[in-house]
Structure formats: C-alpha cells, structure tokens
Amino acid sequence: MIHGVHHVAVSTTDIDRFVALYQRLFGFEIIARSGWKRGNADIDRMVQMAGSEARQVMLQLDRFYLEVFQYLEPKGVRTERRLCDPGFTHVCFYVDDIQAEYERLLALGMEFHGFPKDYGSMIAVYGRDCDGNVIELLQVTSTVHPYPYLGTKAST
C-alpha cells in the first residue's frame, strides 16, 4: 500500500552551491550526506549509468525531504527545460504571506517569472533557482480550497 510521497530528488552540477541556496532561501536543513564511488554495480544498475560516482545530500523542510545529487561521473549538463516539456515541472512551497516571501527571495537574488497573482482561493508566483528549476510560492486564501496545506511536522 502506498502511503504518500517520501521525497523528491534533484540533480545539480554544484551541490555545495545548491544546498547553500536552499538553506538560505527556503530554510532547509541538512539531515544526511552520502554518495558513492565508481565501481558500485548495484548503484550503476539502479541509475542506469555505468561507472557512476556521486555526492548526495538529504535536506528537510517541515514534512518534506529534498534529495540532492551531484554526479561526478558522468558529469551532468545543465539544460533549460520548458514547463511544457515532459517531466516534473516545479516544486511548490506553501507560504503564509506570499508578498513578504516574494520580496525576501527577490532581495536574495531569486528571479521570478512575474508578480504574485490572486487566483481566487490562492495566490501564486513562479520563479527559478540557481539551476533553472522552477519554484512556485503558494498562499491559500480560502478555507474551501480543494487541496489545502496539510500542516506542519508530524507528531512524534
């Protein structure tokens, strides 16, 4: 039985830059670091790349994990994906004051596609991180929103 999403993973060409940016902009915390060296046949089979080698960092923000990879072999190449291209299109961060977060992130150098826009039961805006990944900021403004924010950290 599937219970839900555990994490989303992203690849970057500079893991230190990426992790520092996500810590500074969004408040992620590093909870683990690992990786693998070349010659690990099990990993090569899983990632479908012979001779792979990578660094890995697991980040956490509230109830969300973001796994970050930097492939040392083979080297990754940054490409600009359009939102209409197949694949995951963006990561959405829920905020309680979108205008304040928009201004804070803008001051820290994040580039946005436009300004926060009110869509009735929510206000949203898209921007891009240091690798060109699309980031959405979302503020739900109605108690009847069809998919509200589910809360904070799970009780222990």
Side-chain angles (χ1 to χ4, degrees):
M1 171 189 310
I2 295 175
H3 294 279
V5 175
H6 182 269
H7 70 273
V8 173
V10 63
S11 184
T12 181
T13 58
D14 185 339
I15 200 166
D16 297 320
R17 177 202 63 189
F18 188 95
V19 167
L21 181 79
Y22 273 63
Q23 288 177 303
R24 190 179 79 224
L25 295 185
F26 307 115
F28 276 91
E29 296 178 30
I30 297 172
I31 60 168
R33 291 179 187 269
S34 67
W36 64 90
K37 298 287 185 192
R38 291 181 71 148
N40 187 324
D42 290 332
I43 295 284
D44 284 355
R45 191 171 19 267
M46 183 167 63
V47 300
Q48 294 187 323
M49 288 182 280
S52 71
E53 181 175 351
R55 295 173 58 200
Q56 180 265 354
V57 174
M58 185 66 82
L59 299 173
Q60 181 179 4
L61 177 67
D62 199 21
R63 294 169 66 175
F64 177 68
Y65 295 104
L66 182 64
E67 186 176 23
V68 185
F69 292 99
Q70 178 182 352
Y71 279 85
L72 306 172
E73 291 295 331
K75 295 246 186 247
V77 177
R78 181 177 168 179
T79 59
E80 288 292 328
R81 284 184 58 250
R82 300 170 303 162
L83 289 169
C84 62
D85 293 334
F88 292 105
T89 62
H90 68 273
V91 173
C92 179
F93 292 101
Y94 181 80
V95 300
D96 57 6
D97 184 342
I98 196 167
Q99 192 61 41
E101 281 303 305
Y102 171 82
E103 290 171 11
R104 182 182 74 81
L105 295 172
L106 195 62
L108 289 170
M110 187 164 167
E111 295 181 14
F112 287 93
H113 296 182
F115 303 99
K117 176 151 175 46
D118 191 328
Y119 293 97
S121 63
M122 64 184 184
I123 304 169
V125 65
Y126 280 10
R128 292 195 184 251
D129 70 12
C130 58
D131 281 338
N133 298 303
V134 176
I135 304 299
E136 178 182 10
L137 300 181
L138 172 71
Q139 179 181 347
V140 173
T141 57
S142 169
T143 57
V144 294
H145 192 274
Y147 36 92
Y149 179 58
L150 296 177
T152 60
K153 291 186 178 180
S155 301
T156 53

